[in-house]
Amino acid sequence: MRDPITPGPAMRWPAPRHIAGALVALAVLVASPARAAWFDICRGINLGGPAMRAMVVPKGTLFRDNGRADDPLADFTGDKWQLRLETLYGVEIPQIGQCVRVLVRITGDSATKFVAATDGRRFVYAGAADLLDPIPPSEELLSARGRVVDSVP
């Protein structure tokens, strides 16, 4: 005869560690950000101006495509993709630094959904993703340029 306290084979539940592992895997899948890639943000160096300060690039900063870097007529031919790259977190370019690397993702309704470093695209500052951004951008940020380091899906 079977002990009434011991459950039979039909009443066994999965071990708690299996449930915890499944919940962690589900949380990672649900909470993972959109696919992103590395992007270099660089500022111009003004040797005739005052000493440079650290430049802050806030989260949600947008950069728009400005044509191919290897095309001398890119500014005149209109070879610009209607896409925006949005920074996923805020970064700071140190006082003596020129570039910083940050994660970005493609936003907007562009027909282009993929950019690779081999495409040779130039990107310029295009504002903030938050339309109600209370802080106006610095003059240095207005002149910031960017380039894709690897592919942006």
Side-chain angles (χ1 to χ4, degrees):
M1 184 160 153
R2 181 181 277 185
D3 185 10
I5 298 177
T6 307
M11 296 180 61
R12 290 198 179 157
W13 295 91
R17 65 177 173 267
H18 296 297
I19 293 174
L23 289 176
V24 168
L26 182 64
V28 167
L29 290 174
V30 171
S32 63
R35 293 181 288 174
W38 293 107
F39 183 72
D40 276 344
I41 299 173
C42 299
R43 64 175 167 193
I45 295 182
N46 182 4
L47 296 176
M52 292 187 303
R53 302 180 319 239
M55 184 175 92
V56 176
V57 180
K59 174 185 176 185
T61 300
L62 296 174
F63 287 85
R64 67 174 172 80
D65 180 61
N66 201 31
R68 291 188 56 87
D70 60 353
D71 181 8
L73 299 175
D75 293 331
F76 305 105
T77 60
D79 178 31
K80 299 176 183 170
W81 295 348
Q82 296 298 316
L83 63 88
R84 304 284 185 268
L85 300 181
E86 178 183 352
T87 59
L88 296 180
Y89 55 88
V91 293
E92 181 177 307
I93 299 177
Q95 183 174 0
I96 59 173
Q98 184 179 1
C99 296
V100 67
R101 195 164 282 183
V102 64
L103 284 172
V104 293
R105 67 176 171 204
I106 292 179
T107 61
D109 57 354
S110 172
T112 305
K113 298 296 182 190
F114 181 84
V115 181
T118 57
D119 291 331
R121 307 306 292 186
R122 297 181 300 178
F123 292 88
V124 294
Y125 175 78
D130 183 11
L131 295 176
L132 302 175
D133 189 18
I135 302 170
S138 67
E139 186 175 332
E140 288 178 320
L141 189 57
L142 290 173
S143 64
R145 305 269 187 247
R147 68 180 182 88
V148 175
V149 176
D150 60 0
S151 61
V152 180

Coordinates of all heavy atoms in Angstrom, one line a residue, residues 65-81 118-122:
D65 N 21.4 60.0 -41.6 CA 22.3 59.7 -42.6 C 22.6 60.9 -43.4 O 21.6 61.7 -43.7 CB 21.7 58.5 -43.5 CG 22.6 58.2 -44.7 OD1 23.8 57.8 -44.4 OD2 22.2 58.4 -45.8
N66 N 23.8 61.1 -43.8 CA 24.2 62.3 -44.6 C 24.9 61.9 -45.9 O 25.7 62.7 -46.4 CB 25.0 63.2 -43.7 CG 25.0 64.6 -44.2 OD1 24.0 65.1 -44.8 ND2 26.1 65.4 -44.0
G67 N 24.7 60.7 -46.4 CA 25.4 60.3 -47.6 C 26.6 59.5 -47.4 O 27.0 59.2 -46.3
R68 N 27.2 59.1 -48.5 CA 28.4 58.2 -48.5 C 29.6 59.1 -48.2 O 29.8 60.2 -48.7 CB 28.6 57.5 -49.8 CG 27.5 56.4 -50.0 CD 27.9 55.6 -51.2 NE 29.2 55.0 -51.1 CZ 29.5 53.8 -50.6 NH1 28.5 53.2 -50.0 NH2 30.7 53.4 -50.5
A69 N 30.5 58.6 -47.3 CA 31.7 59.3 -47.0 C 32.7 59.4 -48.1 O 33.5 60.3 -48.2 CB 32.3 58.6 -45.7
D70 N 32.7 58.4 -49.0 CA 33.6 58.4 -50.1 C 33.1 59.0 -51.4 O 33.7 59.0 -52.4 CB 34.0 56.9 -50.5 CG 32.8 56.0 -50.8 OD1 31.7 56.5 -50.7 OD2 33.1 54.9 -51.2
D71 N 31.9 59.7 -51.3 CA 31.4 60.4 -52.4 C 31.5 61.9 -52.2 O 30.9 62.5 -51.4 CB 29.9 60.1 -52.5 CG 29.2 60.7 -53.7 OD1 29.9 61.3 -54.6 OD2 28.0 60.6 -53.8
P72 N 32.4 62.5 -53.0 CA 32.6 64.0 -52.8 C 31.4 64.8 -53.1 O 31.3 66.0 -52.7 CB 33.8 64.3 -53.8 CG 33.8 63.2 -54.8 CD 33.2 62.0 -54.1
L73 N 30.5 64.3 -53.9 CA 29.2 65.0 -54.2 C 28.0 64.6 -53.4 O 26.9 64.9 -53.8 CB 28.9 64.9 -55.7 CG 30.0 65.4 -56.7 CD1 29.7 65.1 -58.1 CD2 30.3 66.9 -56.5
A74 N 28.2 63.9 -52.3 CA 27.1 63.4 -51.5 C 26.2 64.5 -51.0 O 25.0 64.3 -50.9 CB 27.7 62.6 -50.3
D75 N 26.8 65.6 -50.7 CA 26.0 66.7 -50.2 C 25.1 67.3 -51.3 O 24.0 68.0 -51.0 CB 26.8 67.9 -49.7 CG 27.6 67.4 -48.4 OD1 27.0 66.5 -47.7 OD2 28.7 67.9 -48.2
F76 N 25.4 67.1 -52.6 CA 24.6 67.6 -53.7 C 23.8 66.6 -54.4 O 22.8 67.0 -55.1 CB 25.6 68.3 -54.7 CG 26.5 69.3 -54.1 CD1 27.8 69.0 -53.8 CD2 26.0 70.5 -53.7 CE1 28.7 69.9 -53.2 CE2 26.9 71.4 -53.0 CZ 28.2 71.1 -52.8
T77 N 24.1 65.4 -54.4 CA 23.3 64.3 -55.1 C 22.1 63.9 -54.4 O 21.3 63.2 -55.0 CB 24.2 63.1 -55.4 OG1 24.6 62.6 -54.2 CG2 25.4 63.5 -56.3
G78 N 22.0 64.1 -53.2 CA 20.8 63.7 -52.4 C 20.8 62.2 -52.1 O 19.7 61.6 -51.8
D79 N 21.9 61.6 -52.1 CA 22.1 60.2 -51.8 C 22.0 60.0 -50.2 O 23.0 59.7 -49.6 CB 23.4 59.6 -52.3 CG 23.6 58.2 -52.0 OD1 22.6 57.5 -51.8 OD2 24.7 57.8 -51.8
K80 N 20.9 60.3 -49.7 CA 20.7 60.2 -48.2 C 19.6 59.2 -47.9 O 18.5 59.3 -48.5 CB 20.4 61.5 -47.6 CG 21.5 62.5 -47.8 CD 21.2 63.9 -47.3 CE 22.3 64.8 -47.6 NZ 21.9 66.2 -47.4
W81 N 19.8 58.3 -47.0 CA 18.8 57.3 -46.6 C 18.0 58.0 -45.5 O 18.5 58.7 -44.6 CB 19.4 56.1 -46.0 CG 20.2 55.3 -47.1 CD1 20.2 55.4 -48.4 CD2 21.1 54.2 -46.8 NE1 21.0 54.5 -49.0 CE2 21.5 53.7 -48.0 CE3 21.5 53.6 -45.6 CZ2 22.4 52.7 -48.2 CZ3 22.4 52.5 -45.8 CH2 22.8 52.1 -47.0
T118 N 30.7 48.7 -44.1 CA 31.2 48.7 -45.5 C 30.3 49.6 -46.4 O 30.7 49.9 -47.5 CB 31.2 47.3 -46.1 OG1 29.9 46.7 -45.9 CG2 32.2 46.5 -45.3
D119 N 29.1 50.1 -45.9 CA 28.3 51.0 -46.7 C 28.9 52.4 -46.8 O 28.6 53.1 -47.6 CB 26.9 51.1 -46.1 CG 26.1 49.8 -46.3 OD1 26.3 49.1 -47.3 OD2 25.2 49.5 -45.4
G120 N 29.8 52.7 -45.8 CA 30.5 54.0 -45.8 C 29.6 55.2 -45.6 O 29.8 56.2 -46.2
R121 N 28.5 55.1 -44.8 CA 27.6 56.2 -44.6 C 28.1 57.1 -43.6 O 28.8 56.8 -42.6 CB 26.2 55.6 -44.2 CG 25.6 54.6 -45.0 CD 25.5 54.9 -46.5 NE 24.6 56.0 -46.7 CZ 24.2 56.4 -48.0 NH1 24.8 55.8 -49.0 NH2 23.4 57.3 -48.1
R122 N 27.8 58.4 -43.7 CA 28.1 59.5 -42.8 C 26.9 59.8 -42.0 O 25.8 59.8 -42.6 CB 28.6 60.8 -43.4 CG 29.8 60.6 -44.2 CD 30.2 62.0 -44.8 NE 29.2 62.4 -45.7 CZ 29.2 63.6 -46.4 NH1 30.2 64.4 -46.2 NH2 28.2 63.9 -47.2

